[in-house]
Amino acid sequence: MKLIIAYIQPHKLNDVKQSLYAAEIHKMSVTNALGCGQQKGYKETYRGVVLEVNLLKKVRLEIAVNDDFVQPTVDAIIKGARTGDIGDGKIFILDLAECIRIRTGEKGKTAIG
Amino acid sequence: MKLIIAYIQPHKLNDVKQSLYAAEIHKMSVTNALGCGQQKGYKETYRGVVLEVNLLKKVRLEIAVNDDFVQPTVDAIIKGARTGDIGDGKIFILDLAECIRIRTGEKGKTAIG
Amino acid sequence: MKLIIAYIQPHKLNDVKQSLYAAEIHKMSVTNALGCGQQKGYKETYRGVVLEVNLLKKVRLEIAVNDDFVQPTVDAIIKGARTGDIGDGKIFILDLAECIRIRTGEKGKTAIG
Amino acid sequence: MKNKRIANIILILFLILGLAFPVFAEDAAVATVNHASTSGIDTLWVLIAAFMVFLMQAGFGMLEAGLIRTKNTCNVLMNNFLDFCMASTAFFIFGYAIMFGKGNGFMGLSGWGLVNVTHEGSIPLEAAWLFHAVFCGAAATIVAGGIAERMKFKAYLMYSFLVSATVYPIVGHWVWGGGWLAKLGFSDFAGSTVVHAVGGTAALVGTIMVGPRIGKFNKDGTANAIEGHSMALASLGTLILWFCWFGFNPGSTLSVGDGSFMSKVAVNTNLAAAVGALTAVFFAWYLFGKPDLTMSMNGALAGLVAITAPCAYVVPYEAMIIGFVSGIIVVLGTIFLDRIHVDDPVGAVPVHCMNGIWGTIAVGLFGREGLGGLAGNGLMHGGGFKLLGVQMLGTFTAVIFVVVAMTIIFKMIDMIVGLRVSRDEELKGLDLSQHGMEAYSGFQVFINR
Amino acid sequence: MKNKRIANIILILFLILGLAFPVFAEDAAVATVNHASTSGIDTLWVLIAAFMVFLMQAGFGMLEAGLIRTKNTCNVLMNNFLDFCMASTAFFIFGYAIMFGKGNGFMGLSGWGLVNVTHEGSIPLEAAWLFHAVFCGAAATIVAGGIAERMKFKAYLMYSFLVSATVYPIVGHWVWGGGWLAKLGFSDFAGSTVVHAVGGTAALVGTIMVGPRIGKFNKDGTANAIEGHSMALASLGTLILWFCWFGFNPGSTLSVGDGSFMSKVAVNTNLAAAVGALTAVFFAWYLFGKPDLTMSMNGALAGLVAITAPCAYVVPYEAMIIGFVSGIIVVLGTIFLDRIHVDDPVGAVPVHCMNGIWGTIAVGLFGREGLGGLAGNGLMHGGGFKLLGVQMLGTFTAVIFVVVAMTIIFKMIDMIVGLRVSRDEELKGLDLSQHGMEAYSGFQVFINR
Amino acid sequence: MKNKRIANIILILFLILGLAFPVFAEDAAVATVNHASTSGIDTLWVLIAAFMVFLMQAGFGMLEAGLIRTKNTCNVLMNNFLDFCMASTAFFIFGYAIMFGKGNGFMGLSGWGLVNVTHEGSIPLEAAWLFHAVFCGAAATIVAGGIAERMKFKAYLMYSFLVSATVYPIVGHWVWGGGWLAKLGFSDFAGSTVVHAVGGTAALVGTIMVGPRIGKFNKDGTANAIEGHSMALASLGTLILWFCWFGFNPGSTLSVGDGSFMSKVAVNTNLAAAVGALTAVFFAWYLFGKPDLTMSMNGALAGLVAITAPCAYVVPYEAMIIGFVSGIIVVLGTIFLDRIHVDDPVGAVPVHCMNGIWGTIAVGLFGREGLGGLAGNGLMHGGGFKLLGVQMLGTFTAVIFVVVAMTIIFKMIDMIVGLRVSRDEELKGLDLSQHGMEAYSGFQVFINR
Ligand SMILES: Nc1ncnc2c1ncn2[C@@H]1O[C@H](COP(=O)(O)OP(=O)(O)O)[C@@H](O)[C@H]1O
Ligand SMILES: Nc1ncnc2c1ncn2[C@@H]1O[C@H](COP(=O)(O)OP(=O)(O)O)[C@@H](O)[C@H]1O
Ligand SMILES: Nc1ncnc2c1ncn2[C@@H]1O[C@H](COP(=O)(O)OP(=O)(O)O)[C@@H](O)[C@H]1O
């Protein structure tokens, strides 16, 4: 099992969700994040002072999947999130040692989906 | 060492904290998250339009523990979070390669607790 | 590759960012978190009732790096975040199986930086 | 000589014309010129005061919303908004007739729907109705704070109609509609009892009957703090309320006269509020170790409620004493309610019920004969226990009546639609469960408490 | 005898002095004492009403901000704030001259910059100007809601100047400036057509020309809900607006008289709003299964808009009927706009345009001859279709004129600076892209929608 | 002939009775009929204006809260709320006596606690007191913005008492209490100097003595932006302030008369604000490349502050010029303060101090003899440098006096309780460290800055 973490542009969340659904991946967790990557920040001005903002708003996805679902998941994320512009985001994949469904106590493969 | 990630119902946070304390697990980190799982979403109506909400509010726990604490931690989480209803949440367990206490520079087992 | 997760005091974020930049680490993701650690909570009073707050506001950093960058990153975080007081925070290091840049599809070492 | 007389007459005519002409153009009658004018000013004043009292809905709305959790914000705002709409309608159809109609000492029985009402006094019926309708709305909305975060929306709607159609106007009739208390010489200038004790007691009954919020009290009997979600809204609400109180109290003079009466009332109102706030904040600081914003706000409101009855009958330093006592009462009252496990999220009971009673009694202590038309002296000015006795009788009878009436009303509502949402709905929040909407879409909020 | 005459004269002198002295000190003329007084009260009333109508900017600002997303909050607040500044300036230089200057039936043509204006009536020119300037500002700001979340800031600034300098005053001239509609006997007491239908129609044109927000409509034709970010602000805004409407409608009496006229107007205003809110909430509840806070607020505003024209001409129960119908209209109108893919984030069109029209027509249905100076009876009171016809003619002509004028204006602006921000800017939010700032720095907000 | 005389007398008596009768019923004296009535209206107006100025507390509270960070919101709200309570009390016991009591050219020395005060003028003492008390509260609360986010709560409480009991009333005595400046012919109609320059200078002294916030200035001397947490609150506050200014300036006429005077003042006030806002936003847009909401709001406030002194003495186009200059001043002033490392989180100094001075001087430039009772012409109207000189003397003396007095007061407070919180407490936020509470419980907020 793997834990897939993806950082995407916030306004791409809906597209990513759609393409994940299309790939039959229905379970995920989403958090807000601020990201600092290749994308340059932008400037705000506030009462005459310029403010460099280099932590940009991003959305963080966490998806636990069985090994054979890793590729489809990654593909679906890329499909939904890619625009070709800097700031599109990144995907990180970690090994997942165990997964437990709280409600039933099921473990591993059966618990994940 | 393991890193335990748990998604639970927000209003169960207090119960989970209590049962973790009872199991002598005092350290944890908590974030807000939105989750999409087996639990069906709900509908909102806003100015005459129906809105399907399928990202539900969840709380994400992150707990780093030594290997012999994994089972007690998992049990405590389940004890606090389980209602038997869909949406109770999930626990993910990752291998933790290293842990460092910033204040002292201590590493590994001694740092974690 | 490793995934470094660090919990630090919120008002240390700027210092940590500076020392990471100084160590040529420019990519990171930041989220808000609440933490429960060695640091004791504090008390609020609200309309005559005392409120024990033991989930303290923390900032969570997530930095994916190549193996040879692990030590510099950890050092930089410690340099920026350490005050010597309880509550300075912790660093967790996980193995990172894969990393993909969404924009280009690049993988592994080249994608991470 | 004749010329002089003629000059005389011309002078007089000129004078008459000079004075009367512009009036003719407006009112077509010489003799009524000044009268008309007085009625115009008085109406202007009463209407502006009524508009300000209307704005109390915004004050209460923001205060109550600020002191509850995000997940119930829409619900409390909607309760607050619709109870005024309900009150307007109910007070139009039933309330005014019960309060001011001809009837007996207990209630009026004529003038339903404002049809066939003859109105005496210098202001027109419509102005009088509006002024009393917004008072009725204020009384009704006090309850929204007490029962916040757990009462069913339907139940609240029913409550708000019934209280405005019956309970409020009945007590109003006793005191302001020529009822039995009025005849006894009971004096409540702007409504410490009629509005605040009535609203506050209804809130007390409601909050007891609906029970404390999940998580408010622990098994060991201690109370938990359930923090409000926006001190900015709460503070805005309090300041709006203070502003509106300048319509509530001085507006209750119902006439402008030479301006001195309403000025005195305004000054007393302001001083009681200021001293109430300072007292509450320092007292709470002393008790809990920190200066608490919510206590300072409730202290100001406590002072305002307490001075509402006596504002016309006392002098400034007495207003300050009344404010001082109210600041103490509101802090102790809040603690006391937690002790006896009554869960009143916004402090409706200590502010409106307890200080409404205190203010009414204060008339019996500090009232001065003649001031504001008061019939007798209070205890401190040699009037003995007579006025004091009547005041206590009046306010306690009103409270008891409201307890009985509201118990019946809430029981009835409970039987028909149920008072309280389910445990699940309460945990999810009333915004989602009752209204299917969120108050702060786009903000990341914690809903774990 | 001589003595007596002397006594006589002394008496007269004494009388003159007695009456005049306090006046001399103020106005240096005996003959104007009463006149001055009437004019003083009337001005006081009109000014206070104008101040209240000014405060509508805060009401609209909070309502509109509350109903849009966090990422566009600064933009809508700034539009709302600056359109009043623009309106003040434009109405000073051009607007008043076009609206009230001597000219023809279509527009006035004299008094630019308020120079060389002679003003008749009991209130001074300056008070009249301010009263009409804040009305103009209210009309202008209605559009901010309709085009929210996607129009360029520059384009909005240009719009707000042009509408206040030309479109609004032209229609105003027709109705209130002695123009052709006034001569036909068209009656719009406080501006259902002049302010609300004009503003609401401009919003309709703007929202159509700028197009729907990204993500509002799906490919299959269905609409998505784009939830507002703060129900607390929206609710505050609505209550402030209701409060200010007590300046808007009763203030349009422009004189106090004996107070009865403005009292009647105030009561009608309040009842229509209350019934409008209740109707909308129950109707929406019935249709969608949940009581929706935004619908109840829009219902109140719909009632207020609808009663604005007839408030002086009808009796309370008719005000309630008008409010009832407006509550139905606002709900159906909202649904209808979604059907025809017009994206109006705050409901400016159903509230102001549709109910502005309805309120104007309602005069032709329920108006009573003589009441508020109405020239004829409405359909329900035996006046036949005459008044009704004029009312319909007037409101529809105004709407058509605004459609044409605003289409030209927006087209012009589009050619010069462009109406709409780019897709990227819209996704990022107008706060960042247009103003380089954030509304809620420090809060964690979702910007994925 | 006798008959005629008798007829004469009857006529006169009839006249007296006809006029007096309705008055007798009210005031029991013929000779005072008009006086009473005038006094009633004037009091009504002054009270309403006072209520509106009171509401400025809400305006300042929301503006200041909106422009600071979440973690200090409770603190700034509480400062703002309690300084009014402190001012009410201090101005009651000490302030009014110092400001209006009999004394010397420097300060009054009688009438402590409002006991044994005889009051002249058409409005009652109580109305006059309330009107001046709310002005005092406004002056006091200006400082809350300047020292926000780092001053100890206790220190602020002490400051607010002292400024209201001494500094403000002393300058007030000079100008409005018959002091030395009044005798020189110094004219400050509604308080550009008395209220705003005093409050703004106190804020300047406070913000310098307490030092800049951690993180405001970099080692290289550049400034950082520390963004406010809610533009919605800030915008609401600004609009409320603008509304209240219609009480502040026109209310300072203290009498209604025939209404024309206060109308002129209201129009000038409105135009200066509108032009100030537009100027500031366009100027800042030109300088920084983006239209900044906070600058447009501060521009409106700058215009309001600047027109406060001259509003009675100038004509509309001059009000617009004054507003224009104030818009430039506020932008440049903000930049200048950042340059000299004075950290004024909300712009209290550029808005109130700099524009208070500018407005006072503007009287010497644009003032017109006779208008609003001004004694001489300004420079532009051929009055030469006389009035201008007096105005500059007056405002600069006042500023210098406040600098000296406030330095002593803040030093004293520093010695007793300390002015500034510790570094740790500041980082944590004053809400937690000073009050043990959070402003936005339940919201996820960033506290890393
Ligand atoms: N090494 C990293 N560690 C942690 N987060 C990262 C890392 N690299 C990128 N991210 C996250 O991914 C987001 C997008 O990265 P960025 O480099 O801007 O994308 P792109 O490669 O498409 O230009 C960043 O804002 C950050 O949140
Ligand atoms: N495969 C997964 N990947 C990431 N998060 C998941 C996954 N499965 C579940 N979750 C998280 O756990 C929450 C609860 O899951 P759910 O399936 O509703 O619980 P239950 O199994 O008790 O019905 C989800 O809302 C989501 O946040
Ligand atoms: N075992 C753990 N699991 C998860 N998070 C932890 C753990 N230990 C510490 N943390 C996080 O680190 C933060 C700081 O920990 P703390 O023990 O207070 O630091 P210090 O060791 O410097 O006193 C905590 O608030 C919590 O967020």
Side-chain angles (χ1 to χ4, degrees), chain A residues 8-69:
Chain A
I8 59 169
Q9 295 281 30
H11 61 264
K12 283 304 207 174
L13 177 59
N14 251 325
D15 294 346
V16 172
K17 247 166 55 184
Q18 299 309 331
S19 67
L20 282 168
Y21 287 174
E24 309 246 309
I25 297 137
H26 292 280
K27 307 214 159 172
M28 71 195 83
S29 300
V30 180
T31 42
N32 269 333
L34 297 175
C36 196
Q38 241 168 63
Q39 193 184 9
K40 268 179 48 184
Y42 56 90
K43 283 177 188 173
E44 300 185 4
T45 48
Y46 177 77
R47 300 180 48 71
V49 183
V50 174
L51 184 71
E52 291 264 5
V53 179
N54 46 24
L55 283 174
L56 303 175
K57 297 204 168 81
K58 299 282 168 186
V59 158
R60 180 182 188 274
L61 293 176
E62 216 171 73
I63 311 176
V65 289
N66 287 319
D67 292 318
D68 44 343
F69 259 90

Side-chain angles (χ1 to χ4, degrees), chain F residues 37-122:
Chain F
S37 176
T38 309
S39 155
I41 283 204
D42 288 352
T43 309
L44 179 61
W45 171 222
V46 170
L47 283 183
I48 290 172
F51 303 159
M52 289 169 77
V53 177
F54 166 79
L55 194 64
M56 281 192 159
Q57 296 296 323
F60 279 117
M62 294 305 110
L63 175 66
E64 289 166 0
L67 293 181
I68 54 100
R69 289 166 291 179
T70 44
K71 66 179 175 186
N72 301 312
T73 306
C74 287
N75 179 256
V76 87
L77 291 168
M78 204 156 175
N79 284 351
N80 179 268
F81 187 66
L82 289 179
D83 64 24
F84 180 78
C85 299
M86 281 293 186
S88 280
T89 318
F91 197 75
F92 184 77
I93 307 177
F94 302 107
Y96 195 84
I98 292 177
M99 192 152 167
F100 293 104
K102 288 201 177 72
N104 48 41
F106 182 75
M107 61 187 284
L109 288 161
S110 71
W112 313 100
L114 244 58
V115 177
N116 287 331
V117 177
T118 50
H119 183 71
E120 284 149 34
S122 71

Side-chain angles (χ1 to χ4, degrees), chain A residues 7 34-39 58 85-90 92, chain C residues 27-29 62-64 101 103 112:
Chain A
Y7 286 93
L34 297 175
C36 196
Q38 241 168 63
Q39 193 184 9
K58 299 282 168 186
D85 292 338
I86 280 182
D88 275 355
K90 278 201 191 150
F92 302 113
Chain C
K27 308 215 157 170
M28 72 194 81
S29 300
E62 215 170 73
I63 311 176
R101 166 169 288 134
R103 175 166 49 92
I112 214 160

Side-chain angles (χ1 to χ4, degrees), chain E residues 47-63:
Chain E
L47 282 182
I48 290 172
F51 303 159
M52 289 170 77
V53 177
F54 165 78
L55 195 63
M56 283 193 157
Q57 296 296 323
F60 279 116
M62 295 305 109
L63 174 65

Side-chain angles (χ1 to χ4, degrees), chain D residues 66-149:
Chain D
L67 293 181
I68 53 98
R69 288 167 292 179
T70 44
K71 65 181 175 185
N72 301 313
T73 306
C74 287
N75 178 256
V76 87
L77 290 168
M78 203 153 175
N79 285 351
N80 178 269
F81 187 66
L82 289 179
D83 64 25
F84 180 79
C85 299
M86 282 292 186
S88 280
T89 318
F91 196 75
F92 183 76
I93 306 177
F94 302 105
Y96 195 83
I98 293 177
M99 192 154 166
F100 293 103
K102 288 201 178 71
N104 48 40
F106 181 76
M107 62 186 283
L109 289 160
S110 71
W112 313 99
L114 243 59
V115 176
N116 287 330
V117 177
T118 51
H119 183 69
E120 284 148 36
S122 71
I123 58 168
L125 170 66
E126 286 84 1
W129 178 80
L130 191 69
F131 191 70
H132 286 292
V134 291
F135 270 59
C136 176
T141 211
I142 289 168
V143 176
I147 54 76
E149 309 205 271

